[in-house]
Amino acid sequence: MNVILLIIISYLIGCFSSAYLIGKIFKKMDIRSYGSGNAGATNAVRVMGKKLGVLTFLLDFTKGIIAVLLGYRMMGYNGGLIAAFFVVMGHDWPIFLGFKGGKGVATTIACFAVLNFPIALISVIIGITVALTTRFVSLGSIVFFTIVPILNIVNFNNFNKEFFIASIFLAIIGIYKHKENIKRLKNGCENRIGR
């Protein structure tokens, strides 16, 4: 029973679409009709500016932390893993917005930060470095998703099977949500930072 309750609550927390609500409140607009059409922090920065974009990121980040901590409280570490998966699902496919949400980067970072802070920190640093070097935010995000499970394998003395499985699933979701970015990267027409 606790598992079902945790899944539902985590998913609903994820459905809180920061980009959508901020767009409606501050700009009287549906952000999904502008820019990339994505209800996430990167598109929020491009469409609504840095301040509202940062606010979007922080709110998306916060809901990841809240969900995982709730999972910890209800079911321990495995509860945190379950909460992480479903809060990201809610963010990416929110039921209240016709399942058209974001790509889950900020929320996933938050989840990993609670579940395994050292790996999350290193992965974020690598992802940011790639994004700043190439000026492709999407590429930095894809690298972040990819590097988390890899670092868990490399850290064989503290290998965590449950975290590894969760990170694989979240990586698959994150990379899938970036499928259009991947196509644009291959075709050389992806948006760069500053454009």
Side-chain angles (χ1 to χ4, degrees):
M1 190 65 182
N2 274 353
V3 175
I4 295 173
L5 183 61
L6 178 60
I7 288 172
I8 293 171
I9 294 174
S10 299
Y11 175 78
L12 291 176
I13 291 173
C15 287
F16 176 86
S17 179
S18 307
Y20 177 82
L21 292 173
I22 289 172
K24 284 292 186 179
I25 293 169
F26 293 99
K27 297 291 186 178
K28 308 296 188 236
M29 58 178 280
D30 184 343
I31 192 170
R32 298 172 303 164
S33 299
Y34 298 87
S36 66
N38 179 59
T42 301
N43 197 39
V45 170
R46 290 197 180 106
V47 174
M48 299 188 291
K50 291 181 180 178
K51 289 182 179 180
L52 293 181
V54 170
L55 178 59
T56 299
F57 180 91
L58 291 175
L59 289 175
D60 286 345
F61 188 89
T62 300
K63 69 186 182 184
I65 292 177
I66 291 172
V68 174
L69 290 179
L70 176 66
Y72 263 106
R73 186 173 181 83
M74 291 179 66
M75 297 178 58
Y77 187 78
N78 287 339
L81 295 172
I82 293 169
F85 180 78
F86 284 97
V87 73
V88 172
M89 291 289 286
H91 175 85
D92 290 358
W93 293 283
I95 190 171
F96 305 115
L97 297 178
F99 302 102
K100 188 179 179 184
K103 296 178 181 174
V105 179
T107 305
T108 303
I109 291 172
C111 292
F112 285 152
V114 178
L115 293 166
N116 195 319
F117 183 77
I119 286 180
L121 179 61
I122 295 170
S123 301
V124 167
I125 291 172
I126 293 172
I128 291 174
T129 301
V130 170
L132 293 177
T133 302
T134 64
R135 294 174 60 204
F136 291 124
V137 174
S138 58
L139 184 58
S141 299
I142 292 166
V143 169
F144 161 75
F145 284 117
T146 305
I147 205 73
V148 172
I150 292 174
L151 286 177
N152 193 39
I153 293 173
V154 172
N155 188 26
F156 58 89
N157 286 328
N158 292 302
F159 179 77
N160 184 320
K161 182 178 71 174
E162 290 78 15
F163 177 77
F164 175 74
I165 293 171
S167 67
I168 288 290
F169 277 110
L170 288 173
I172 290 170
I173 293 171
I175 293 170
Y176 170 77
K177 291 292 288 186
H178 282 82
K179 61 185 184 298
E180 295 302 322
N181 302 88
I182 294 171
K183 290 179 184 177
R184 290 194 293 270
L185 284 166
K186 288 181 178 179
N187 295 329
C189 55
E190 175 69 322
N191 289 322
R192 290 180 183 269
I193 296 172
R195 287 187 182 178

